[in-house]
Amino acid sequence: MFTATRISSQLRARTTQYIFTRTYAMSASHTIPKLNDPSLFKEQCYVGGSWIDAKSKEKFEVHDPATGKLIGTCPEFNKEDTERAIQTAADAWPGFRKLTGRERARMLREWFQLMQDNADDIAALITWENGKPLSDSKGEVQYAASFFEWFSEEAPRSYGETIESSFSFNRVFTRKEPVGVCGLITPWNYPAAMITRKIGPALAAGCTVVAKSPGETPFTANALAELAHRAGIPKGVVNFVTAMKNTAEVGSTLTASPTVRKISFTGSTPVGKLLMKQSSDTLKKLSFELGGNAPFIVFDDADVDAAVTGAIASKFRSGGQTCVCANRIYVQKGIYDSFAQKFTEKVKAFKVGPGFSEGITHGPLIHERAIGKVEDHVRDAESKGAKITTGGQKLPDLGVNFYQPTVLTGMTTDMKIASEETFGPVAALFPFSTEAEVVKMANSVEVGLAGYFFSRDIHRIYRVAEALEFGMVGVNTGLISDVAAPFGGVKFSGFGREGSLHGIAEYQILKTVTMGGMSGDLQGA
């Protein structure tokens, strides 16, 4: 039956819908982007230094998530096409690995500079195919370019060691050498940065690569491939392949190939498990950055305003579609109401619409499946007693992929969000009482990518940072991504680290050289 609560909920939904619709109507300047350099828009694959189609000539369509309109088409690569790219990378490797670190560094530096010179066009491509606001896309371009800059500096500094042998007649030293041909598989949520975070260290180490870009967002990767060509990266060193319905076939070709000696993958845990199984027959070197379900903890001794700002940054960046987004926000009961009120007011100020529109803070989700998962999580929480303080509805007047930024209070551990990653603009606030209780809840999930907490107690900071079972922990900040910081998780969030001084090691093997017969006696003595 109709209750006052339900009437209030429906009225709030209609009012919020009106606000978001009006926001879009007042700023609807969404148009197809005009690139300063239209030649960066490529609808082919880059293999062996040339732009080619699939041998079958088959293509797939890519659509703007904001409007549903066709952006363009890309080749539907299959096993045969992928094997060609792998062989091309293998043919290029002997020559490329012989280059000095300085020579590879100059190429990466030139690629970095070309990204800077074409930053506006790359950002436009990201917004067009991914949907994120243009300001976010511009930030991603700078983040993505930083990996080429960083690893251009690491390339000449790949040092081995001299080791004191247990035997006086031996001398021991190590060399760090490139692993070989690398297969790289990247997601759609950061179509530039996820590519450069893998290719940068691979090239710095002296490897060649076959990069499978996401079918949802291939044009950003293609623009980077064109800039690699202009930067003078030798033919065959970087190869970019695309596929949509054949994605699994391309992935299995990379994992099954004995020529490919390394797989780096960013994506879901189930797919990571599959790729790991497929790679077992050829015993490849692997690094996987998989799913997350990040806790964000606010203790009652925290600066509440700073915690609200941090939670907003962590939760709603890219519409909540990042693997390190806060998924479970735990707030100590003494400040729970104050935090929830301030947090909700911030979210109410967001402006949703197509990413090219003026003043937009949040764009569409990537596709209808993402909308479906968000809606399922919100309705599940609401049915089990959670309260929606803002949002909670689709925005069909904007398009099929738009959803209101949402805040849920009164969350409990039996709700889906407590154990599943939402990957959307839904902030779920859980109350807690004690430090021990919240750490237990935070660690209760099978994944362990990122976690955050706010506190001004230095003893608590050390205790909790050490107790959280996550590969990365942010303390009094909601932003932890930095080219200088090792990026990666534990448990079902994968293994290996990207970025930082450790990132290049994922693309190297350690060779030990032992020289015998070294008596050490001087001749003629």
Coordinates of all heavy atoms in Angstrom, one line a residue, residues 278-331:
Q278 N 44.8 -20.3 -18.6 CA 45.2 -20.4 -20.0 C 46.7 -20.2 -20.2 O 47.3 -20.8 -21.1 CB 44.5 -19.4 -20.8 CG 43.0 -19.7 -20.9 CD 42.3 -18.6 -21.7 OE1 42.8 -17.5 -21.9 NE2 41.0 -18.8 -22.1
S279 N 47.4 -19.5 -19.3 CA 48.8 -19.2 -19.4 C 49.7 -20.3 -18.8 O 50.9 -20.4 -18.9 CB 49.2 -17.9 -18.7 OG 48.5 -16.8 -19.3
S280 N 49.0 -21.3 -18.1 CA 49.8 -22.2 -17.3 C 50.6 -23.2 -18.2 O 51.7 -23.6 -17.8 CB 48.9 -23.0 -16.4 OG 47.9 -23.8 -17.1
D281 N 50.1 -23.5 -19.3 CA 50.8 -24.5 -20.2 C 52.2 -23.9 -20.7 O 53.1 -24.7 -21.0 CB 50.0 -24.9 -21.4 CG 48.9 -25.9 -21.0 OD1 49.0 -26.5 -19.9 OD2 47.9 -26.1 -21.8
T282 N 52.2 -22.6 -20.8 CA 53.5 -22.0 -21.3 C 54.2 -21.3 -20.2 O 55.2 -20.6 -20.5 CB 53.2 -21.0 -22.4 OG1 52.1 -20.1 -22.0 CG2 52.7 -21.8 -23.7
L283 N 53.8 -21.4 -18.9 CA 54.5 -20.8 -17.8 C 54.9 -19.4 -18.0 O 56.1 -19.1 -17.8 CB 55.6 -21.8 -17.4 CG 55.3 -23.1 -16.9 CD1 56.5 -24.0 -16.6 CD2 54.4 -23.0 -15.6
K284 N 54.0 -18.6 -18.3 CA 54.4 -17.2 -18.6 C 54.6 -16.4 -17.3 O 54.1 -16.8 -16.2 CB 53.2 -16.5 -19.4 CG 52.9 -17.1 -20.7 CD 52.0 -16.2 -21.5 CE 51.4 -17.0 -22.7 NZ 52.5 -17.5 -23.5
K285 N 55.3 -15.3 -17.4 CA 55.4 -14.3 -16.3 C 54.1 -13.5 -16.4 O 53.6 -13.1 -17.4 CB 56.6 -13.4 -16.5 CG 56.9 -12.5 -15.4 CD 58.2 -11.7 -15.7 CE 58.5 -10.7 -14.6 NZ 59.1 -11.3 -13.5
L286 N 53.4 -13.3 -15.2 CA 52.1 -12.7 -15.1 C 52.1 -11.5 -14.2 O 52.8 -11.6 -13.1 CB 51.1 -13.7 -14.7 CG 50.9 -15.0 -15.5 CD1 49.9 -15.9 -14.8 CD2 50.4 -14.7 -16.9
S287 N 51.3 -10.5 -14.5 CA 51.0 -9.5 -13.5 C 49.5 -9.1 -13.7 O 49.2 -8.8 -14.9 CB 51.9 -8.3 -13.6 OG 51.9 -7.7 -14.9
F288 N 48.7 -9.2 -12.7 CA 47.3 -9.0 -12.8 C 46.8 -8.0 -11.8 O 47.1 -8.1 -10.6 CB 46.5 -10.3 -12.5 CG 46.6 -11.4 -13.6 CD1 46.2 -12.6 -13.4 CD2 47.1 -11.1 -14.9 CE1 46.2 -13.6 -14.3 CE2 47.2 -12.0 -15.8 CZ 46.8 -13.3 -15.6
E289 N 46.1 -7.0 -12.3 CA 45.4 -6.0 -11.4 C 44.0 -6.2 -11.6 O 43.4 -5.8 -12.6 CB 45.9 -4.5 -11.8 CG 45.5 -3.5 -10.8 CD 44.3 -2.7 -11.2 OE1 44.4 -1.9 -12.1 OE2 43.2 -3.0 -10.7
L290 N 43.3 -6.8 -10.6 CA 42.0 -7.3 -10.7 C 41.0 -6.5 -9.9 O 41.2 -5.3 -9.6 CB 42.0 -8.8 -10.4 CG 43.0 -9.6 -11.1 CD1 43.0 -11.1 -10.6 CD2 42.8 -9.6 -12.6
G291 N 39.8 -7.1 -9.6 CA 38.7 -6.4 -9.0 C 39.0 -5.9 -7.6 O 40.0 -6.3 -6.9
G292 N 38.2 -4.9 -7.1 CA 38.4 -4.3 -5.8 C 37.0 -4.2 -5.1 O 36.0 -4.3 -5.8
N293 N 37.1 -3.9 -3.9 CA 35.9 -3.5 -3.1 C 36.4 -2.7 -1.9 O 36.4 -3.1 -0.8 CB 35.1 -4.8 -2.6 CG 33.8 -4.5 -2.0 OD1 33.5 -3.3 -1.6 ND2 32.9 -5.5 -1.9
A294 N 36.8 -1.5 -2.3 CA 37.6 -0.7 -1.3 C 36.8 -0.2 -0.1 O 35.7 0.5 -0.3 CB 38.2 0.5 -2.0
P295 N 37.3 -0.4 1.1 CA 36.7 0.2 2.2 C 37.2 1.7 2.4 O 38.4 1.9 2.1 CB 37.1 -0.7 3.4 CG 38.5 -1.2 2.9 CD 38.4 -1.3 1.4
F296 N 36.4 2.5 2.9 CA 36.8 3.9 3.2 C 36.3 4.2 4.7 O 35.1 4.2 4.9 CB 36.1 4.9 2.3 CG 36.7 6.3 2.4 CD1 37.5 6.8 1.4 CD2 36.3 7.1 3.4 CE1 38.0 8.1 1.5 CE2 36.7 8.4 3.5 CZ 37.6 8.9 2.6
I297 N 37.2 4.3 5.6 CA 36.9 4.3 7.0 C 37.1 5.7 7.6 O 38.1 6.3 7.4 CB 37.7 3.3 7.8 CG1 37.6 1.9 7.3 CG2 37.4 3.3 9.3 CD1 38.6 0.9 7.8
V298 N 36.1 6.2 8.3 CA 36.2 7.5 8.9 C 36.0 7.3 10.4 O 34.9 7.0 10.9 CB 35.1 8.5 8.4 CG1 35.4 9.9 9.0 CG2 35.2 8.6 6.9
F299 N 37.1 7.5 11.2 CA 37.1 7.4 12.6 C 36.6 8.7 13.2 O 36.7 9.8 12.6 CB 38.5 7.1 13.2 CG 38.9 5.7 12.8 CD1 39.8 5.4 11.8 CD2 38.4 4.6 13.5 CE1 40.2 4.1 11.5 CE2 38.8 3.3 13.2 CZ 39.6 3.0 12.2
D300 N 36.1 8.6 14.5 CA 35.5 9.8 15.1 C 36.5 10.9 15.4 O 36.1 12.0 15.8 CB 34.6 9.5 16.3 CG 35.4 8.6 17.3 OD1 36.6 8.6 17.2 OD2 34.7 8.1 18.2
D301 N 37.8 10.6 15.4 CA 38.8 11.6 15.6 C 39.3 12.3 14.3 O 40.2 13.1 14.3 CB 40.0 11.0 16.3 CG 40.7 9.9 15.5 OD1 41.0 10.1 14.4 OD2 40.8 8.8 16.1
A302 N 38.6 12.0 13.2 CA 39.0 12.5 11.9 C 38.5 13.9 11.7 O 37.6 14.4 12.4 CB 38.5 11.6 10.8
D303 N 39.2 14.7 10.8 CA 38.6 15.9 10.4 C 37.5 15.6 9.4 O 37.7 15.1 8.3 CB 39.7 16.7 9.6 CG 39.3 18.0 9.1 OD1 38.1 18.2 8.7 OD2 40.1 19.0 9.0
V304 N 36.3 15.8 9.9 CA 35.1 15.4 9.1 C 35.0 16.0 7.7 O 34.7 15.3 6.7 CB 33.8 15.6 9.9 CG1 32.6 15.3 9.1 CG2 33.8 14.8 11.2
D305 N 35.3 17.3 7.7 CA 35.2 18.0 6.4 C 36.2 17.4 5.4 O 35.9 17.2 4.2 CB 35.4 19.5 6.5 CG 34.2 20.1 7.3 OD1 33.1 19.7 7.1 OD2 34.5 21.2 8.0
A306 N 37.4 17.2 5.9 CA 38.5 16.6 5.0 C 38.1 15.2 4.6 O 38.3 14.8 3.5 CB 39.8 16.6 5.8
A307 N 37.5 14.4 5.5 CA 37.0 13.1 5.2 C 36.0 13.1 4.1 O 35.9 12.2 3.2 CB 36.6 12.4 6.4
V308 N 35.0 14.0 4.2 CA 34.0 14.1 3.2 C 34.6 14.4 1.8 O 34.2 13.8 0.8 CB 33.0 15.2 3.6 CG1 32.1 15.6 2.4 CG2 32.1 14.8 4.8
T309 N 35.5 15.4 1.8 CA 36.2 15.7 0.6 C 36.9 14.5 0.0 O 36.9 14.2 -1.2 CB 37.2 16.9 0.8 OG1 36.4 18.0 1.2 CG2 37.9 17.2 -0.5
G310 N 37.6 13.8 0.9 CA 38.4 12.6 0.4 C 37.4 11.5 -0.1 O 37.7 10.8 -1.1
A311 N 36.3 11.3 0.6 CA 35.4 10.3 0.2 C 34.7 10.6 -1.2 O 34.5 9.7 -2.0 CB 34.3 10.1 1.3
I312 N 34.4 11.9 -1.4 CA 33.9 12.3 -2.6 C 34.8 12.0 -3.8 O 34.5 11.5 -4.8 CB 33.5 13.8 -2.6 CG1 32.3 14.1 -1.7 CG2 33.3 14.4 -4.0 CD1 31.0 13.6 -2.2
A313 N 36.1 12.4 -3.5 CA 37.1 12.2 -4.6 C 37.3 10.7 -4.9 O 37.5 10.3 -6.0 CB 38.4 12.8 -4.1
S314 N 37.3 9.9 -3.8 CA 37.6 8.5 -4.0 C 36.4 7.8 -4.6 O 36.5 6.9 -5.5 CB 37.9 7.8 -2.6 OG 38.0 6.4 -2.8
K315 N 35.2 8.1 -4.2 CA 34.0 7.4 -4.6 C 33.5 7.7 -6.0 O 33.2 6.9 -6.8 CB 32.8 7.6 -3.6 CG 31.5 7.1 -4.0 CD 31.4 5.6 -4.1 CE 31.4 5.0 -5.5 NZ 31.3 3.5 -5.5
F316 N 33.5 9.0 -6.3 CA 32.8 9.5 -7.5 C 33.7 9.8 -8.7 O 33.2 10.3 -9.7 CB 31.9 10.6 -7.1 CG 30.7 10.2 -6.3 CD1 30.6 10.5 -5.0 CD2 29.6 9.6 -6.9 CE1 29.5 10.1 -4.2 CE2 28.5 9.2 -6.2 CZ 28.4 9.4 -4.8
R317 N 35.0 9.6 -8.5 CA 35.9 9.9 -9.7 C 35.5 8.9 -10.8 O 35.2 7.7 -10.6 CB 37.3 9.6 -9.3 CG 38.3 10.0 -10.3 CD 39.7 10.0 -9.8 NE 40.2 8.7 -9.4 CZ 40.3 8.3 -8.1 NH1 39.9 9.0 -7.1 NH2 40.8 7.1 -7.9
S318 N 35.3 9.5 -12.0 CA 34.9 8.7 -13.2 C 33.6 8.0 -13.0 O 33.4 6.9 -13.5 CB 36.0 7.7 -13.6 OG 37.2 8.4 -14.0
G319 N 32.7 8.6 -12.2 CA 31.4 8.0 -12.0 C 31.4 6.8 -11.2 O 30.5 5.9 -11.3
G320 N 32.5 6.6 -10.4 CA 32.6 5.4 -9.6 C 33.1 4.2 -10.3 O 33.1 3.1 -9.8
Q321 N 33.5 4.4 -11.6 CA 34.0 3.3 -12.4 C 35.5 3.1 -12.4 O 36.2 3.1 -13.4 CB 33.5 3.6 -13.9 CG 32.0 3.6 -14.0 CD 31.5 3.9 -15.4 OE1 30.9 3.1 -16.1 NE2 31.8 5.1 -15.9
T322 N 36.1 3.0 -11.2 CA 37.5 2.7 -11.1 C 37.6 1.6 -10.1 O 36.8 1.5 -9.1 CB 38.3 3.9 -10.6 OG1 38.3 4.0 -9.2 CG2 37.8 5.2 -11.3
C323 N 38.7 0.8 -10.2 CA 38.9 -0.3 -9.4 C 39.3 0.1 -7.9 O 39.2 -0.7 -7.0 CB 40.0 -1.2 -10.0 SG 41.5 -0.4 -10.4
V324 N 39.7 1.3 -7.7 CA 40.1 1.8 -6.4 C 39.1 2.7 -5.8 O 39.4 3.3 -4.8 CB 41.5 2.4 -6.4 CG1 42.6 1.4 -6.8 CG2 41.6 3.6 -7.4
C325 N 37.9 2.8 -6.4 CA 36.9 3.6 -5.8 C 36.4 3.1 -4.5 O 36.4 1.9 -4.3 CB 35.6 3.7 -6.7 SG 35.7 4.9 -8.0
A326 N 36.1 4.0 -3.5 CA 35.5 3.6 -2.3 C 34.2 2.9 -2.6 O 33.3 3.5 -3.2 CB 35.3 4.8 -1.4
N327 N 34.0 1.7 -2.1 CA 32.8 0.9 -2.4 C 32.0 0.8 -1.1 O 30.7 0.8 -1.1 CB 33.1 -0.4 -2.9 CG 31.9 -1.1 -3.6 OD1 31.4 -0.5 -4.6 ND2 31.4 -2.2 -3.1
R328 N 32.7 0.7 0.1 CA 32.0 0.6 1.4 C 32.6 1.7 2.3 O 33.7 1.7 2.6 CB 32.3 -0.8 2.0 CG 31.9 -2.0 1.2 CD 32.5 -3.2 1.7 NE 33.9 -3.3 1.4 CZ 34.8 -3.9 2.1 NH1 34.5 -4.6 3.2 NH2 36.1 -4.0 1.7
I329 N 31.7 2.7 2.6 CA 32.2 3.8 3.4 C 31.7 3.6 4.9 O 30.5 3.6 5.2 CB 31.6 5.1 2.9 CG1 32.1 5.3 1.4 CG2 32.1 6.3 3.8 CD1 31.5 6.6 0.8
Y330 N 32.7 3.3 5.7 CA 32.4 3.0 7.1 C 32.6 4.3 8.0 O 33.7 4.9 7.9 CB 33.3 1.9 7.7 CG 33.1 0.6 7.0 CD1 34.0 0.1 6.1 CD2 32.0 -0.2 7.2 CE1 33.9 -1.1 5.4 CE2 31.8 -1.4 6.6 CZ 32.7 -1.9 5.7 OH 32.6 -3.1 5.1
V331 N 31.6 4.7 8.7 CA 31.7 5.9 9.5 C 31.4 5.6 11.0 O 30.4 5.0 11.3 CB 30.8 7.0 9.0 CG1 31.0 8.3 9.8 CG2 31.0 7.2 7.5

